[in-house]
Amino acid sequence: MALNALLLALLTVLLAVTYGPVSHYLTVIGAWRHPSRRVLATDSDLVKIEDTIICEDLHLYHPTNTLFSACEDDFHRRFGWFPPLGNFENPPQSTEGGGSIHIIDPETKVSARLEFENFSGPLVTHGIDVVAADPSRPDHSVYIFAVNHLPNPDLFRSRQDTTTPKARSQIELFYHVLGSKSVRHVRSIWHPLIRTPNDIYAENATSFYVTNDHFYRDGLLRHIEDVLPLARWSTAIHVQIEHETVSAQSCDQAPDVKAGIALTDIFNNNGLGHGQTHDECLVTSAAGGLLYLGQALNGQITIREVIPLDSVVDNPSYFSDPFVSLSDGSSDASGYIVPGLPRAVDLPLHKRDPSAQDGALVWHVKPSSGALTNASISSGTGWEARILFEDDGSIIRTASAAVLVPIDPKREGGRKRGWLFVTGFLSENIIAVKVDL
């Protein structure tokens, strides 16, 4: 019996190494990867931004060059309640506060906490998006969409019913006048199709897409979704609301909320991001290590291209290089910025441990120039990917969002560089690190 078990184990390893899809999956979750840290040139190349505790998502609002994020505020609270990780032990009560929205100046690296109007929490933060409230005046005000992972109110009324979902997540809509110190809660948005919301892609104040990273919230089938690439049960949902404003802040579905399935058949559908055109929608398969380039149109997301990467990946963003050399097209650093985890294989053991150490990395994906460096890999599809930043968890724990802000080469002695802002779903601070492009 022991010999048979050993032979089965050896056969499993052999299949994992030789069978392409299995081998790629094991590479993506970091089974072969050892934690590493890219040494920074000087201490001035790294800034830890204060008062940015567990800010899962990060967005650059280009009209005013302002970074937006939603933060948990309490590092330890996430390890007791965060449905996306299966942490359901300590649900927040309706009387608890917690959670905040921040703006960050990319130049000063200072975070400012916005005061809530008409909102008392709790706010268990995850993905966000930011759009102009009035497209004709993009520098005046914005709407902020934010995922809020609330406990299911039915759970407290039926504690003996084990089939009742523990979480009933919803989307919060806020309004912010740029330059002011507050953010006003406009309404809550809930629909039965919004099951396990992860990230948001907003078209305008009344139309947005949201990913469900799993179909099952917990239990055995949820664990199968985590590890089986064939479990393509996650979805992206298109949500349309007739009115930006309603009177109540509640989990109940308002009659003006309409939703439909916009995208299916993706393993662990996760992050969403805006691409290089107004309707390009970036989608990631987190545990699949895939970046999808798609188009969001008429309530549907159509995938046009798939780029494989060698790690778990999360919320993507697009970087448009304003300092392109007219004489040398190869100096164009425009491309997709994709954060991820070097060893996601450790996450099931670490997700309830505040003292554990999880690494972070960020990919820079751009059209292949035909001349790869030692630090670059080719996807074989006309794209090359280079790791811009990697850490073993000493600087930042996890990377779920990253935004690149360019630096004028004149300020860097002619070197093309940028400030890379990185945050994670288990990070104690957002960081800004200067990287070479």
Side-chain angles (χ1 to χ4, degrees):
M1 183 68 71
L3 179 60
N4 290 338
L6 177 60
L7 291 175
L8 179 60
L10 291 174
L11 179 61
T12 302
V13 172
L14 180 63
L15 286 172
V17 172
T18 58
Y19 181 56
V22 176
S23 179
H24 178 252
Y25 173 72
L26 292 175
T27 298
V28 165
I29 65 174
W32 322 127
R33 187 180 284 115
H34 297 286
S36 63
R37 178 180 176 186
R38 303 278 170 119
V39 178
L40 303 176
T42 64
D43 290 341
S44 62
D45 290 344
L46 172 69
V47 178
K48 288 190 176 183
I49 300 174
E50 298 299 323
D51 190 29
T52 53
I53 301 172
I54 303 188
C55 310
E56 196 272 349
D57 202 2
L58 186 64
H59 281 265
L60 178 64
Y61 186 66
H62 291 280
T64 58
N65 196 40
T66 304
L67 289 162
F68 283 84
S69 189
C71 306
E72 184 78 4
D73 293 342
D74 185 325
F75 181 70
H76 293 274
R77 185 163 49 211
R78 174 136 301 193
F79 298 92
W81 176 265
F82 191 55
L85 287 180
N87 293 347
F88 295 106
E89 287 70 26
N90 297 307
Q93 304 301 314
S94 59
T95 56
E96 290 183 1
S100 56
I101 294 177
H102 296 238
I103 57 172
I104 301 168
D105 185 333
E107 288 293 325
T108 64
K109 318 294 187 298
V110 173
S111 173
R113 179 185 293 251
L114 297 177
E115 179 182 346
F116 282 126
E117 298 177 14
N118 194 37
F119 186 80
S120 58
L123 179 61
V124 182
T125 60
H126 205 163
I128 66 168
D129 202 3
V130 182
V131 293
D134 181 355
S136 67
R137 300 183 63 193
D139 60 345
H140 178 262
S141 57
V142 295
Y143 282 110
I144 303 168
F145 292 84
V147 172
N148 189 5
H149 290 296
L150 294 175
N152 190 342
D154 294 336
L155 186 65
F156 301 98
R157 294 191 288 264
S158 57
R159 290 184 179 275
Q160 304 304 315
D161 184 2
T162 58
T163 63
T164 301
K166 297 181 179 68
R168 195 180 185 194
S169 306
Q170 62 187 36
I171 312 301
E172 310 295 354
L173 179 60
F174 298 93
Y175 176 80
H176 171 64
V177 176
L178 295 163
S180 72
K181 297 181 179 180
S182 64
V183 59
R184 175 171 57 85
H185 184 256
V186 176
R187 66 176 293 173
S188 299
I189 303 165
W190 182 84
H191 189 278
L193 288 178
I194 302 174
R195 296 174 57 86
T196 56
N198 186 301
D199 201 12
I200 299 171
Y201 175 102
E203 294 182 307
N204 50 56
T206 59
S207 174
F208 66 93
Y209 298 83
V210 57
T211 52
N212 287 311
D213 52 36
H214 292 75
F215 181 81
Y216 295 95
R217 294 178 174 91
D218 58 3
L220 176 61
L221 290 174
R222 166 62 178 251
H223 295 311
I224 291 175
E225 281 191 276
D226 286 334
V227 300
L228 184 63
L230 294 177
R232 299 184 174 188
W233 305 329
S234 58
T235 57
I237 304 300
H238 176 253
V239 181
Q240 184 80 43
I241 56 178
E242 294 179 10
H243 308 289
E244 297 98 312
T245 59
V246 292
S247 58
Q249 174 189 329
S250 72
C251 286
D252 296 328
Q253 180 186 346
D256 73 327
V257 177
K258 312 298 180 183
I261 297 175
L263 181 64
T264 60
D265 198 34
I266 288 182
F267 172 47
N268 196 198
N269 192 351
N270 198 283
L272 291 173
H274 293 267
Q276 56 182 317
T277 61
H278 76 281
D279 61 354
E280 184 176 60
C281 180
L282 313 178
V283 186
T284 59
S285 163
L290 300 172
L291 170 65
Y292 295 88
L293 309 184
Q295 180 188 37
L297 186 65
N298 298 326
Q300 296 291 308
I301 299 175
T302 303
I303 300 301
R304 295 182 168 180
E305 195 161 359
V306 185
I307 303 172
L309 296 166
D310 286 344
S311 76
V312 162
V313 292
D314 215 319
N315 303 334
S317 62
Y318 182 75
F319 170 70
S320 180
D321 185 0
F323 301 108
V324 178
S325 170
L326 298 178
S327 61
D328 181 10
S330 65
S331 69
D332 188 354
S334 299
Y336 303 101
I337 307 301
V338 189
L341 303 178
R343 281 188 56 84
V345 67
D346 297 329
L347 198 56
L349 300 175
H350 292 177
K351 65 181 184 178
R352 293 185 179 90
D353 185 358
S355 64
Q357 188 165 295
D358 298 282
L361 58 78
V362 179
W363 297 94
H364 182 199
V365 182
K366 54 182 287 191
S368 178
S369 63
L372 299 178
T373 68
N374 292 333
S376 301
I377 62 170
S378 173
S379 68
T381 58
W383 298 90
E384 64 182 62
R386 179 173 68 95
I387 294 179
L388 273 182
F389 170 78
E390 185 173 6
D391 180 53
D392 61 5
S394 302
I395 297 173
I396 185 170
R397 182 177 177 182
T398 69
S400 55
V403 172
L404 185 60
V405 177
I407 303 172
D408 191 331
K410 294 178 181 178
R411 297 165 56 183
E412 295 292 324
R415 297 170 65 186
K416 176 163 285 194
R417 309 189 78 189
W419 280 105
L420 180 68
F421 291 81
V422 186
T423 189
F425 55 88
L426 295 178
S427 63
E428 295 190 69
N429 295 92
I430 296 174
I431 66 167
V433 57
K434 194 177 289 188
V435 295
D436 290 307
L437 304 177

